Amino acid sequence: MSEVFEKLGVIGGGAWGTALAQTLCRAGRSVTLWARETEVVGDINANHVNSLFLPGVPLEPTLRASGSLLEIIADAEAVLVVCPAQALRSVLESLADRWPAGVPVVLCAKGIEQKSGMMMTEVAAEVLPGIPQMVLSGPTFAHEVALGLPSAVTVAAHDIALSEKFVRTISTPTFRPYVSVDPVGAEIGGAVKNVLAIACGIVEGRSLGENARAALLTRGLAEMIRLGRALGAQAETLAGLSGMGDLILTATSTKSRNFSVGYGLGQGGALDEIMGKRRSVAEGVHSARAVVERGALHGIEMPICQAVDQLLQGLIDVDSAVAGLLNRPLRSELG
């Protein structure tokens, strides 16, 4: 048995999918990338760039793109699925009858499905029963990964031998993956941090200060850990790269899509207008309600996520959200 996966498919021609495909090529793997947009396929194959989603980044000449999903999975030894979280089910359903037996799916979307409240691993298990799964998550901006700047991620699977094999597959001198046996923790961190990043963007857009953002990050991490533990995650995972690490990156930089949405809201912008200007998906907007509802099912209090959800639904305004959080009953920090 090979120590690595040599042939890989990547489903999703956006910035993150392209960056991961680029990393796999740098690691010496044979990679085919699926993109929905014909111009992206042509741009990658002819010019070795993805001008639409990753402008200014030269791509590895060995990277090949295709507009056929069936071609992506035809001879792949593992497939990375990097489509938006809300599109995961439809993409996998379109391939379910043709998915090769035993070929692992690497879930790279960060979110919770709105209509079902399911995490990405639960969606994949329902659509592709019996197919091995891994979760790849961590503090990464696609542009930096694509340029080869130093980055680290978590690769989580219940089967540690599987995650170890994929870690060896994708590792490069500047891209360091760590093995985990806690896919639930990796998923919860990736989903909840997007909602919290919107909250931190609101703080910045409203000029509420660094103290407020530090408090929000810390108390938000507490919400993430409470929900994760209720779902069987390890607290250590949520204090690691796919939890706290991803939260710090996403909730403190204007490069973050979710932070930028929150920043616009904090400055008084309308959600429809803010989202209408974006080409890429801000997953926190779509996952906020599902995160809160999933917490409620387990009796988990998530006041920051709830405030973001109510704000996104138009039930409260920014000032009311801030006032509601500051006027909550006093309690123990550990409670």
Side-chain angles (χ1 to χ4, degrees):
M1 181 184 296
S2 173
E3 292 189 353
V4 298
F5 297 104
E6 295 289 358
K7 296 181 179 180
L8 296 109
V10 178
I11 296 176
W16 186 220
T18 305
L20 286 171
Q22 170 99 319
T23 302
L24 286 163
C25 287
R26 287 199 181 113
R29 314 304 165 215
S30 174
V31 185
T32 306
L33 171 71
W34 176 83
R36 184 186 309 277
E37 301 82 2
T38 56
E39 63 267 36
V40 170
V41 174
D43 209 15
I44 291 174
N45 289 335
N47 306 313
H48 308 301
V49 292
N50 184 341
S51 302
L52 185 61
F53 293 110
L54 206 59
V57 179
L59 300 179
E60 295 292 315
T62 56
L63 176 59
R64 193 172 66 85
S66 171
S68 167
L69 281 170
L70 291 178
E71 183 180 350
I72 297 300
I73 67 171
D75 61 352
E77 298 171 8
V79 179
L80 289 73
V81 183
V82 203
C83 60
Q86 305 310 319
L88 179 70
R89 181 181 295 274
S90 62
V91 168
L92 294 184
E93 284 178 343
S94 71
L95 294 168
D97 293 340
R98 306 290 291 273
W99 196 279
V103 171
V105 56
V106 186
L107 301 166
C108 305
K110 298 174 181 179
I112 296 179
E113 189 176 52
Q114 273 186 322
K115 62 183 179 181
S116 69
M118 288 181 172
M119 295 184 294
M120 299 297 95
T121 51
E122 293 170 328
V123 173
E126 185 172 276
V127 179
L128 301 175
I131 296 299
Q133 296 182 6
M134 288 175 273
V135 173
L136 187 154
S137 188
T140 49
F141 285 144
H143 191 267
E144 294 184 11
V145 171
L147 288 173
L149 297 177
S151 305
V153 297
T154 297
V155 175
H158 293 300
D159 181 348
I160 191 169
L162 183 64
S163 55
E164 287 176 341
K165 183 173 181 178
F166 187 73
V167 159
R168 292 191 296 268
T169 297
I170 200 170
S171 175
T172 76
T174 59
F175 190 82
R176 183 174 178 82
Y178 286 82
V179 171
S180 169
V181 293
D182 184 15
V184 173
E187 276 204 280
I188 289 297
V192 177
K193 63 92 184 179
N194 284 330
V195 182
L196 299 174
I198 294 174
C200 286
I202 292 170
V203 167
E204 184 72 14
R206 209 62 159 192
S207 299
L208 297 178
E210 300 297 329
N211 293 350
R213 184 165 63 181
L216 196 63
L217 278 168
T218 309
R219 295 310 302 162
L221 180 62
E223 293 187 17
M224 181 190 294
I225 291 174
R226 285 199 297 268
L227 178 60
R229 291 179 67 177
L231 296 175
Q234 300 170 8
E236 293 84 357
T237 304
L238 296 164
L241 288 167
S242 58
M244 182 173 66
D246 207 358
L247 174 61
I248 291 171
L249 181 71
T250 310
T252 60
S253 173
T254 54
K255 295 179 183 178
S256 160
R257 293 167 291 184
N258 293 284
F259 183 92
S260 296
V261 168
Y263 185 86
L265 292 171
Q267 291 200 314
L271 180 61
D272 288 345
E273 293 179 3
I274 295 168
M275 296 297 289
K277 296 176 181 178
R278 305 193 60 82
R279 176 179 293 126
S280 52
V281 176
E283 294 282 16
V285 174
H286 304 289
S287 295
R289 191 179 311 176
V291 165
V292 172
E293 290 176 351
R294 192 69 186 253
L297 284 175
H298 295 271
I300 304 301
E301 195 174 23
M302 305 185 74
I304 298 172
C305 291
Q306 184 176 24
V308 171
D309 175 42
Q310 291 177 334
L311 181 61
L312 293 173
Q313 292 188 61
L315 301 178
I316 57 175
D317 59 21
V318 170
D319 292 333
S320 298
V322 173
L325 290 172
L326 291 176
N327 289 304
R328 282 171 49 77
L330 302 177
R331 58 185 295 177
S332 166
E333 182 178 13
L334 302 180

